Amino acid sequence: MPNIKSAKKRVLITKKKNARNRSDRSKMNNAIKAFNKAIDTANIEEAERLLPLTMSIIDKSVTAGIIHKNAAANKKSAISKRLSDIKSGKVTVVVKKDNKTIAAEKARAAKEAREAARAEFRAKQLEKEAEKAQTKKKKTEKVKETVEEKPKKEKAPRKTKKAEATEEPKTDAE
């Protein structure tokens, strides 16, 4: 930590400038990323719209002293070449998917497969239930037919224990 007043002031000023430079560098990098993302998603119209904006942000970072003018020229050249190569057909765009998107697609496919399996299982169950209902209906019809065909037998009255006791016992002599 500095002891002299001017040195203390320089530390504070350096912190402010460092924060401002970091912010401007972040803006420049974000603009370049947005441009590259537009190209990666095969959105050429969006990339054409972002090209002059990105170049202007790169030029502002040179004037602010954040990057060197040759580094800025290299960045501007790279992004404009990338766009012109895609427009001319030298390079084809392969849409890139990040791991999060791939995982989400896999999860969606697995969910659809589970739902299809459930639907198939439910359809089989309904089929079985309908088959059971038909067989049960046929059985009840057969039972009704057999009951109607057979003449009803009259049942003999049941003997109760009391009635059995009052009857005369049979003897061997009879």
Side-chain angles (χ1 to χ4, degrees), residues 108-124:
R108 192 177 312 115
K111 185 178 180 182
E112 289 173 0
R114 284 192 306 267
E115 288 174 358
R118 283 187 196 131
E120 186 178 329
F121 181 73
R122 286 184 195 134
K124 286 181 181 178

Side-chain angles (χ1 to χ4, degrees), residues 44-107:
I44 304 301
E45 295 81 24
E46 180 70 14
E48 287 176 343
R49 186 186 68 80
L50 287 175
L51 182 65
L53 297 173
T54 306
M55 288 196 173
S56 132
I57 291 172
I58 292 172
D59 288 336
K60 286 178 186 174
S61 65
V62 169
T63 17
I66 296 167
I67 60 172
H68 193 269
K69 64 180 181 178
N70 293 348
N74 287 338
K75 288 181 187 293
K76 289 173 16 179
S77 170
I79 62 175
S80 62
K81 183 177 183 335
R82 189 160 185 225
L83 181 64
S84 66
D85 285 349
I86 289 174
K87 283 170 114 179
S88 68
K90 285 183 182 177
V91 178
T92 56
V93 178
V94 177
V95 179
K96 295 179 183 176
K97 295 180 184 176
D98 59 345
N99 290 336
K100 194 174 183 181
T101 306
I102 293 169
E105 287 176 353
K106 284 182 181 177

Side-chain angles (χ1 to χ4, degrees), residues 12-173:
L12 295 176
I13 291 171
T14 306
K15 281 184 182 178
K16 286 181 187 177
K17 284 185 176 181
N18 190 0
R20 189 180 318 119
N21 288 347
R22 229 177 307 140
S23 169
D24 290 345
R25 182 181 293 271
S26 176
K27 285 179 188 174
M28 178 189 68
N29 289 334
N30 286 338
I32 293 170
K33 284 178 189 174
F35 175 81
N36 287 331
K37 185 177 180 182
I39 289 179
D40 290 341
T41 57
N43 193 351
I44 304 301
E45 295 81 24
E46 180 70 14
E48 287 176 343
R49 186 186 68 80
L50 287 175
L51 182 65
L53 297 173
T54 306
M55 288 196 173
S56 132
I57 291 172
I58 292 172
D59 288 336
K60 286 178 186 174
S61 65
V62 169
T63 17
I66 296 167
I67 60 172
H68 193 269
K69 64 180 181 178
N70 293 348
N74 287 338
K75 288 181 187 293
K76 289 173 16 179
S77 170
I79 62 175
S80 62
K81 183 177 183 335
R82 189 160 185 225
L83 181 64
S84 66
D85 285 349
I86 289 174
K87 283 170 114 179
S88 68
K90 285 183 182 177
V91 178
T92 56
V93 178
V94 177
V95 179
K96 295 179 183 176
K97 295 180 184 176
D98 59 345
N99 290 336
K100 194 174 183 181
T101 306
I102 293 169
E105 287 176 353
K106 284 182 181 177
R108 192 177 312 115
K111 185 178 180 182
E112 289 173 0
R114 284 192 306 267
E115 288 174 358
R118 283 187 196 131
E120 186 178 329
F121 181 73
R122 286 184 195 134
K124 286 181 181 178
Q125 276 188 326
L126 290 174
E127 226 175 81
K128 286 180 182 178
E129 288 175 7
E131 196 174 294
K132 283 182 183 179
Q134 285 180 345
T135 55
K136 192 174 183 182
K137 189 176 180 182
K138 287 179 182 178
K139 285 181 182 178
T140 53
E141 288 175 1
K142 285 182 181 178
V143 169
K144 285 181 182 177
E145 288 175 6
T146 55
V147 169
E148 290 173 359
E149 289 176 2
K150 292 181 181 177
K152 292 185 180 179
K153 294 181 182 177
E154 291 186 27
K155 292 183 180 178
R158 281 189 164 185
K159 293 183 181 179
T160 59
K161 288 183 182 179
K162 213 176 199 185
E164 288 176 5
T166 56
E167 282 185 17
E168 293 179 19
K170 295 184 181 178
T171 59
D172 289 334

